[in-house]
Amino acid sequence: MTDATSSSTTPAAAADEVARRRTFAIISHPDAGKTTLTEKLLLYGGAIHLAGAVKARRAQRHATSDWMALEQERGISVTSSVMQFGYQGYKVNLLDTPGHGDFSEDTYRTLVAADSAVMLLDNRRGVEERTRQLFDVCRMRRTPIFTFVNKCDRVGAPPLQLIGDVENDLGIRCYPMTWPIFGESQFLGVYERNTGRVHLFERDTAHGAERSEALTGPLDDPVIAERLGSAAGTLREELELLDLAGETFDPDAVLAGTLTPVFFGSALTNFGVEPFLHAFLPLAPAPLPRESSAGPVGPETNGFSGFVFKIQANMDPKHRDRIAFVRIVSGRFEAGMTALHVRSGKQLRLTAPQQFLARERTAIDEAWPGDVVGLHDRGTLRIGDTLTDGAVLEFANIPRFSPELFARVRLADPMRRKPLDTGLRQLSEEGAAQVFYEDSIVGPSPIVGAVGQLQFDVLLHRLEHEYGVPAKLERLGFSIARWVVGDAEEITRIGEGYGKRLVYDSRGAPLILFENEYTLRGALERASEVTFYAVAP
């Protein structure tokens, strides 16, 4: 067993390490600029020296967080990434989530590991459907939310209208921390309300790949006033209106998730990114407690504990590795320590821990609550598993949701069945898709389930390029899956007939696939000793 603070680390030093951790995720609707903002936070945080916009054609740059070949080809994020860097004394753990709605389950798991979220809005579209869904997940978990209104370098909705839309649509109060400055419909910079300083940005010639220069000073500075011209009067009027009719800033309401600080800028041109980072990190919460079977567990709880929220296979294609990402909840993590794997009841030696900047990795000796550690895994760990060297406890389980699309896997070469089974098992364990099995005369026949078509595309791409298994999918006419618990004979009976199919998940638990709501309702009406679950029990 390893104590939370070893003899070489005093309680005060441990508390200081925890206090400077910030672990957050970015949520948005597709195409709001999430990956670009992620890239610019890395740029200003000093983690990278040249930013590559997702769709940049100049010099064929690619975003750091989009490390998978398919992401670089399509200009989309299809897997969550972990990026860790230091900035002005803070240790930042940035959890990049898939932007596409087809990967909502991966996004949910990542949000479970975050202590706060940055909600990114397009200044033309405001609150969109995907943003609304992810906001609801954050509200359910009472996650503090910070808002960044993006793409202010182009004409969009008036700032006051955007704020009103957020408050009315999402039911959260807004306090603008920065305010955009426009002159003749051109985005000039931002005004910081807490410091009274203006940041006027210079147009760069590197297309946002390098840090932008800014002229900074108080609003009454003669140089600033000259640059602003008539925009200075408009800015003063808008600030007066905000002071008279706007919300009062309340840090406790921010941490409670009832007030969101709002920032304006343009991730593509770097305008407003650095003022956001300066203000966000002091306001964002340090590592927060997590619910467990033994009650709340916080950073100060004795003993190391953490949970697996993500598994990624083949980050290094040359070595076919499998990395389990562990969010540390309490205590001090040390390389080589032994911890209890609660689900199996076995002790595991946690060797060769690593921290990440997307695909790039660095070996570490220790980590603290709020940090994310990558552990090499040979198939022992699963998403939701708890590791602890203190009290025996389990953190709240990370649910598996019901897919909406289903397809049978067809092999081009039947001799590739073994690597197919390996690929399906590993990809399902990391949450890329769900794999079910149907009994047949030749053995279990694999059926894959997904939330959207893009998941199927990614699955086929990875099977071929990572496991050498070209395959095709034969779509099935089912749209609903329900896990079933109860009498085995009744489960078999319910699973028979038109518009239904009985299958089993990777853990051997039975599910019934339904063609539509009508067939599901019919089964519910006839079931007497069977319970149906939309989320895996």
Side-chain angles (χ1 to χ4, degrees):
M1 298 288 185
T2 304
D3 190 69
T5 54
S6 70
S7 58
S8 61
T9 307
T10 66
D16 181 65
E17 289 289 348
V18 173
R20 66 191 189 95
R21 260 62 182 178
R22 295 294 185 270
T23 304
F24 69 98
I26 302 177
I27 61 174
S28 74
H29 193 81
D31 296 326
K34 179 180 60 61
T35 305
T36 304
L37 177 62
T38 299
E39 196 80 355
K40 299 314 172 67
L41 293 177
L42 297 178
L43 176 67
Y44 278 93
I48 59 176
H49 300 291
L50 188 70
V54 180
K55 298 178 181 177
R57 295 180 182 175
R58 304 177 185 89
Q60 289 298 305
R61 296 191 305 270
H62 297 296
T64 303
S65 56
D66 286 345
W67 55 269
M68 194 179 291
L70 181 65
E71 296 177 306
Q72 296 176 353
E73 290 168 10
R74 296 197 179 190
I76 53 173
S77 299
V78 299
T79 182
S80 55
S81 299
V82 177
M83 284 150 291
Q84 296 158 311
F85 60 93
Y87 183 75
Q88 294 191 345
Y90 292 97
K91 180 67 179 293
V92 181
N93 295 276
L94 197 170
L95 310 180
D96 183 45
T97 60
H100 203 284
D102 288 3
F103 298 88
S104 54
E105 194 167 340
D106 197 10
T107 300
Y108 181 90
R109 290 192 294 265
T110 302
L111 289 174
V112 170
D115 294 309
S116 61
V118 175
M119 180 171 65
L120 187 65
L121 302 180
D122 185 313
N123 77 327
R124 289 182 180 176
R125 300 187 176 97
V127 179
E128 299 176 84
E129 182 59 30
R130 176 76 172 144
T131 313
R132 194 175 295 108
Q133 294 170 353
L134 295 173
F135 176 85
D136 288 341
V137 173
C138 293
R139 178 157 50 190
M140 179 178 65
R141 299 185 54 80
R142 298 180 182 176
T143 304
I145 294 178
F146 298 77
T147 301
F148 188 92
V149 179
N150 194 25
K151 304 186 180 181
C152 290
D153 56 313
R154 66 181 193 184
V155 177
L160 286 173
Q161 178 184 321
L162 286 167
I163 287 175
D165 289 346
V166 171
E167 293 183 333
N168 295 330
D169 199 332
L170 302 180
I172 187 170
R173 294 179 293 131
C174 296
Y175 181 88
M177 296 291 294
T178 64
W179 194 251
I181 305 171
F182 296 101
E184 297 179 355
S185 298
Q186 186 179 41
F187 184 42
L188 302 178
V190 296
Y191 174 85
E192 282 186 309
R193 295 181 69 194
N194 61 328
T195 65
R197 299 181 70 80
V198 172
H199 298 264
L200 297 181
F201 301 101
E202 304 292 342
R203 300 282 163 178
D204 75 288
T205 58
H207 309 290
E210 300 173 355
R211 295 165 59 107
S212 295
E213 296 296 325
L215 174 63
T216 303
L219 183 55
D220 56 4
D221 183 291
V223 177
I224 297 288
E226 182 180 356
R227 282 279 302 273
L228 288 178
S230 61
T234 303
L235 174 62
R236 286 191 173 90
E237 292 174 1
E238 292 173 336
L239 293 176
E240 184 178 358
L241 180 61
L242 289 176
D243 292 338
L244 291 174
E247 294 286 344
T248 302
F249 185 70
D250 181 357
D252 292 334
V254 174
L255 297 180
T258 59
L259 178 74
T260 177
V262 181
F263 301 82
F264 292 84
S266 166
L268 184 64
T269 61
N270 302 339
F271 287 9
V273 174
E274 192 166 31
F276 163 73
L277 196 56
H278 271 294
F280 165 68
L281 293 177
L283 290 173
L288 297 172
R290 293 295 190 275
E291 288 297 326
S292 78
S293 57
V297 177
E300 72 288 344
T301 303
N302 288 330
F304 159 80
S305 67
F307 62 90
V308 179
F309 72 95
K310 171 183 170 60
I311 291 175
Q312 185 71 54
N314 305 322
M315 291 187 74
D316 183 353
K318 295 180 180 178
H319 298 96
R320 295 294 183 210
D321 61 350
R322 186 175 189 268
I323 303 294
F325 290 86
V326 178
R327 157 67 198 250
I328 300 175
V329 178
S330 68
R332 181 191 185 197
F333 174 93
E334 293 181 276
M337 69 184 297
T338 299
L340 174 67
H341 179 223
V342 176
R343 178 172 55 81
S344 68
K346 297 179 180 179
Q347 295 287 331
L348 293 182
R349 185 170 175 81
L350 309 181
T351 58
Q354 300 170 330
Q355 290 189 330
F356 290 80
L357 183 63
R359 196 177 200 165
E360 300 175 13
R361 56 186 77 185
T362 304
I364 60 167
D365 295 322
E366 67 175 9
W368 298 91
D371 283 339
V372 173
V373 175
L375 301 175
H376 282 280
D377 176 52
R378 296 185 177 180
T380 302
L381 297 173
R382 296 177 184 169
I383 291 172
D385 280 358
T386 296
L387 298 172
T388 175
D389 78 340
V392 178
L393 54 87
E394 285 189 279
F395 291 105
N397 193 28
I398 300 175
R400 289 178 295 158
F401 297 99
S402 171
E404 299 173 8
L405 302 178
F406 302 88
R408 192 184 305 280
V409 183
R410 297 296 189 190
L411 274 176
D413 179 3
M415 300 299 291
R416 302 295 294 166
R417 178 59 193 262
K418 187 172 182 180
L420 171 67
D421 289 341
T422 299
L424 290 177
R425 175 176 54 80
Q426 292 185 355
L427 293 176
S428 66
E429 286 174 349
E430 72 173 62
Q434 293 193 47
V435 180
F436 311 111
Y437 296 91
E438 179 186 22
D439 290 334
S440 70
I441 58 174
V442 294
S445 175
I447 293 174
V448 292
V451 174
Q453 178 61 40
L454 185 56
Q455 269 187 289
F456 283 157
D457 295 344
V458 171
L459 179 71
L460 291 177
H461 183 277
R462 296 188 64 186
L463 282 174
E464 180 173 358
H465 291 85
E466 296 177 21
Y467 298 92
V469 184
K472 294 183 179 180
L473 297 181
E474 176 187 304
R475 285 287 294 273
L476 301 174
F478 303 106
S479 61
I480 300 171
R482 290 293 183 267
W483 280 265
V484 283
V485 176
D487 181 74
E489 291 186 5
E490 185 172 357
I491 289 174
T492 301
R493 178 181 59 80
I494 294 172
E496 296 174 342
Y498 178 78
K500 296 177 291 182
R501 187 162 299 174
L502 177 63
V503 298
Y504 298 86
D505 67 12
S506 58
R507 303 178 187 182
L511 303 89
I512 298 177
L513 309 184
F514 297 94
E515 190 175 75
N516 50 42
E517 288 283 351
Y518 177 78
T519 53
L520 172 60
R521 284 198 303 269
L524 289 170
E525 291 170 358
R526 290 190 296 272
S528 59
E529 299 181 39
V530 172
T531 305
F532 294 72
Y533 295 90
V535 175

